[in-house]
Amino acid sequence: MPSREIVEAFAKRLEYGDFVGAIEQFYAPDAATYENNAAPTVGREALAAKERGVLAATKEVKAARIGPSLIEGDTVATRWRFSFTSAEGVVRTLDEIAWQTWRGDELIEERFYYDPKQLGR
């Protein structure tokens, strides 16, 4: 079960924009993430590489947590609002729920739930 301090430290890394650093510090080497019902991305290195790709394709990404992270045993749920600014200055906002499973202080699985139509607006 993750401590409140670890969950808060993870969230702060995202809010400060250190997305790759959060993966490198908090995700287990064998961690997996799922975008809605898509096939998972597995392994901390693959997750960090995917995140670097997202960041390279945008001018800016901002994360804002909406409300507190909820912790129940090894499960953490957080509502996020991400804003992606393209090179042309177009901003797209994504409101999502991140559903996480932790093993101690390491994140081992994360599922992102959102309406993909948000990205087309």
Side-chain angles (χ1 to χ4, degrees):
M1 177 170 81
S3 66
R4 169 65 61 186
E5 292 77 24
I6 288 294
V7 171
E8 291 299 317
F10 173 77
K12 290 293 180 199
R13 291 290 288 267
L14 298 182
E15 292 171 326
Y16 292 142
D18 188 8
F19 303 104
V20 174
I23 291 169
E24 293 172 340
Q25 181 178 352
F26 295 101
Y27 285 63
D30 59 339
T33 65
Y34 298 78
E35 298 279 337
N36 285 330
N37 292 321
T41 301
V42 180
R44 181 170 51 214
E45 294 306 317
L47 294 165
K50 181 179 177 181
E51 193 66 26
R52 285 185 192 97
V54 169
L55 295 171
T58 59
K59 180 179 175 184
E60 181 178 48
V61 179
K62 291 183 181 179
R65 189 166 36 156
I66 311 299
S69 295
L70 307 175
I71 303 170
E72 179 65 34
D74 292 333
T75 303
V76 175
T78 307
R79 181 177 171 206
W80 289 98
R81 182 163 296 131
F82 290 93
S83 296
F84 301 87
T85 304
S86 71
E88 297 78 26
V90 176
V91 178
R92 301 208 190 278
T93 302
L94 179 68
D95 194 338
E96 75 174 21
I97 301 294
W99 189 268
Q100 303 170 334
T101 303
W102 290 71
R103 179 174 53 219
D105 288 338
E106 285 188 314
L107 206 163
I108 60 170
E109 182 180 283
E110 189 166 32
R111 293 181 181 264
F112 304 109
Y113 296 100
Y114 56 89
D115 180 354
K117 291 178 186 174
Q118 296 176 83
L119 296 174
R121 293 183 195 152

